[in-house]
Amino acid sequence: MGSLKENAKEYEPQQTKNIAELEVVPVDSEVLEREFKDKDGNGFKISVIVVDGEDYRVPVSVLKSLKAILEEKPEVKAIKVLKSGEGLKTEYTVIPL
């Protein structure tokens, strides 16, 4: 393990990226569930896809939009997700490719 000092220097907190950071997202990507705790110790779950060993969060609004797209165009193989706003005002636009 090494010393406390060495471990502190090498420490990187776990980060979950956002699906909007990806250029292209195949619609057949496997969705997993991850569980986290907030600052008060309350548990919550998020959906993620894993790309190159990194978790990318999939907001529920993206799943809802993709469902509507696939109902109209079941042949869609990939999407691009655009993100605008921050915090509670964050909005996602799903673009079929």
Side-chain angles (χ1 to χ4, degrees), residues 14-95:
Q14 279 189 310
Q15 295 283 325
T16 302
K17 296 182 177 187
N18 191 292
I19 194 169
E21 295 176 49
L22 297 168
E23 287 297 316
V24 176
V25 181
V27 298
D28 61 354
S29 299
E30 182 179 7
V31 177
L32 305 172
E33 198 171 75
R34 299 280 195 245
E35 190 166 339
F36 296 91
K37 291 191 179 193
D38 63 16
K39 63 182 176 186
D40 298 323
N42 299 317
F44 65 95
K45 296 178 182 178
I46 63 170
S47 296
V48 301
I49 60 171
V50 179
V51 177
D52 296 329
E54 300 214 44
D55 287 355
Y56 290 83
R57 186 172 74 84
V58 181
V60 172
S61 63
V62 170
L63 296 173
K64 288 179 182 178
S65 294
L66 181 55
K67 178 179 181 177
I69 290 168
L70 291 172
E71 286 173 356
E72 293 296 317
K73 291 184 150 196
E75 69 277 3
V76 170
K77 302 280 188 239
I79 59 171
K80 169 74 178 157
V81 179
L82 302 177
K83 176 182 171 185
S84 61
E86 290 185 22
L88 295 175
K89 295 186 180 202
T90 303
E91 293 184 12
Y92 296 92
T93 304
V94 179
I95 301 169

